[in-house]
Amino acid sequence: MKNMKNKILTSLIAALLLAGGLVAFANKPFLSETKLNTTVPKAVDLNLAAAAKTETNPVVNENGYIEVKPLDVVANPSQYVGKQVKFKAVFDKFSTLGLDYKPAFRDSQKYISYLIKRDDVTDHTIPLSEMKIFITRTYAEKFIDLDSGDVIEIYGKVFSDALTDAWVDTDKLVIVSKKNKDKKA
C-alpha cells in the first residue's frame, strides 16, 4: 500500500514539475528570437519522504488534544499514533467496522464503532472508512439520538495505524449541532 502511495506521490511531483516547465517554456520567446540556452539544469532532489511530510504547527488545547482535520490524520496515521486528537466532523452512522481485528483489537462486546462523513466530498454521502473510531457501548448509549448529518466534536487518542488506517479511541463526544432541530427526541 505504501509502495502505491509512493508511486502516486512520485507521479504527482513529476506532473507538477512538468507543468511548471511547460509554463516556463510558454513564457519564453521563440528560438528565432533568442539564443539557445546551453546550461545544464541542476538535479532535482525527489526525496519523497520529505515531500510527503506536511509542515503544520498543530494547535494544542489546554487538555493536551491536538486540533486536527480527519483527512490529515488519515493521510499520515503513523504521525498521530499515541497522540490525543480533537476534530469536528459530520456523523454518518454507528457501525461494527474494525471491531475484533487482532492487530488493533477492540472487543465487539464492549465497543461499537462509528463513521463520520468525508469532508472533501460535498455532493455525496461517503463515510471516511479509513478512520476507525471506537466508543464504549455504555458511553455510546448517551448518543442514541445521533442522526446522519449531525455535527459532532470528537476527542480521542489514535492508538494504531494498522492497515495504514487511523484507529481512534473516543475519550469524549460532543454534539455541536443537530441536522434536524425540529425533530423531537
Side-chain angles (χ1 to χ4, degrees):
M1 187 70 143
K2 285 192 176 199
N3 198 12
M4 184 189 303
K5 286 182 182 177
N6 283 342
K7 287 181 181 178
I8 292 171
L9 186 58
T10 303
S11 298
L12 287 173
I13 291 172
L16 288 172
L17 290 173
L18 180 61
L22 290 176
V23 169
F25 180 74
N27 290 331
K28 297 275 185 188
F30 289 108
L31 290 176
S32 62
E33 299 172 16
T34 185
K35 294 191 300 185
L36 284 174
N37 184 0
T38 57
T39 60
V40 178
K42 293 182 180 179
V44 177
D45 180 21
L46 290 179
N47 184 348
L48 297 179
K53 291 182 182 177
T54 56
E55 296 295 324
T56 58
N57 294 325
V59 177
V60 180
N61 68 12
E62 65 277 354
N63 296 328
Y65 289 91
I66 302 168
E67 292 185 33
V68 296
K69 294 180 181 175
L71 290 173
D72 291 343
V73 176
V74 167
N76 298 306
S78 59
Q79 181 180 339
Y80 294 96
V81 172
K83 296 185 180 172
Q84 293 179 307
V85 295
K86 168 188 167 184
F87 54 91
K88 285 186 182 177
V90 177
F91 178 79
D92 187 34
K93 62 185 156 223
F94 286 103
S95 171
T96 58
L97 183 68
L99 291 169
D100 298 324
Y101 178 65
K102 298 292 182 197
F105 188 73
R106 291 297 177 263
D107 186 355
S108 61
Q109 298 297 315
K110 296 179 183 175
Y111 289 87
I112 187 81
S113 61
Y114 58 97
L115 295 167
I116 58 174
K117 294 182 182 182
R118 295 186 69 92
D119 58 1
D120 59 342
V121 179
T122 56
D123 57 344
H124 292 83
T125 298
I126 300 178
L128 186 62
S129 60
E130 301 92 336
M131 180 178 279
K132 281 48 171 188
I133 311 171
F134 301 96
I135 187 169
T136 62
R137 287 184 178 270
T138 54
Y139 189 51
E141 289 175 1
K142 297 177 182 180
F143 301 101
I144 58 172
D145 61 337
L146 273 175
D147 294 315
S148 182
D150 291 347
V151 178
I152 57 176
E153 189 167 50
I154 300 163
Y155 294 78
K157 183 175 184 178
V158 180
F159 68 90
S160 178
D161 62 350
L163 300 173
T164 64
D165 286 348
W167 300 68
V168 180
D169 273 331
T170 301
D171 296 331
K172 180 180 173 184
L173 184 66
V174 177
I175 300 173
V176 176
S177 65
K178 298 285 289 170
K179 180 180 178 184
N180 296 320
K181 292 181 182 180
D182 300 335
K183 192 175 181 180
K184 294 184 180 183

